[in-house]
Amino acid sequence: NGGNCQYSPLSVSTAGVVTPTAYAPAGTAYGHDFDAFALGVSYAVSERSRVAVQYTSVADTVVSGNKIGMSSLYGDYDLSKRTKLYALASLVNNQGQANMGPIFGAPTRTPNNGQDITSVALGIKHTF
């Protein structure tokens, strides 16, 4: 349940799975319920590298004009058994009063209602 799905985090697991989690406080001005669907695929390019793509759709079931479409591309490369380089890019298409923005480990700017946003994250991950 949730209205326009604002402050929706997007996480990437160690396996390279892009996972959006959409929520918003109940009682928002533009609905309480939404339908969310995601379709993605992950492909091991080699033993040390992988790419993943995903499309996620979120639609407010109360206010039909509030819709979100998010396209994501992820890639990583193993430098060693415990260290990898990664890159993640997402394009979010907000319609109506929707204002979702991806969050890559830390809060980012939330777009205005109906504003699209593109986000890119690059980094090194080391597990201890």
Side-chain angles (χ1 to χ4, degrees):
N1 286 332
N4 69 344
C5 309
Q6 64 181 341
Y7 309 115
S8 299
L10 176 84
S11 64
V12 179
S13 74
T14 56
V17 177
V18 180
T19 307
T21 305
Y23 76 96
T28 56
Y30 24 84
H32 301 280
D33 298 319
F34 59 85
D35 293 328
F37 303 95
L39 176 66
V41 64
S42 178
Y43 177 72
V45 177
S46 70
E47 261 186 41
R48 299 178 72 161
S49 62
R50 169 188 29 232
V51 295
V53 295
Q54 179 170 312
Y55 180 77
T56 303
S57 172
V58 181
D60 189 323
T61 60
V62 176
V63 181
S64 62
N66 296 339
K67 296 179 183 174
I68 301 163
M70 180 171 59
S71 303
S72 300
L73 175 64
Y74 171 84
D76 65 30
Y77 180 79
D78 294 336
L79 294 175
S80 69
K81 185 176 178 181
R82 300 183 329 177
T83 305
K84 67 174 61 189
L85 296 174
Y86 68 89
L88 175 62
S90 285
L91 170 62
V92 180
N93 173 261
N94 290 299
Q95 297 177 21
Q97 294 181 349
N99 63 353
M100 184 173 95
I103 299 175
F104 303 131
T108 60
R109 182 179 77 79
T110 301
N112 294 323
N113 292 350
Q115 180 183 28
D116 296 344
I117 187 167
T118 302
S119 300
V120 176
L122 304 169
I124 298 174
K125 180 178 179 180
H126 181 77
T127 55
F128 294 91

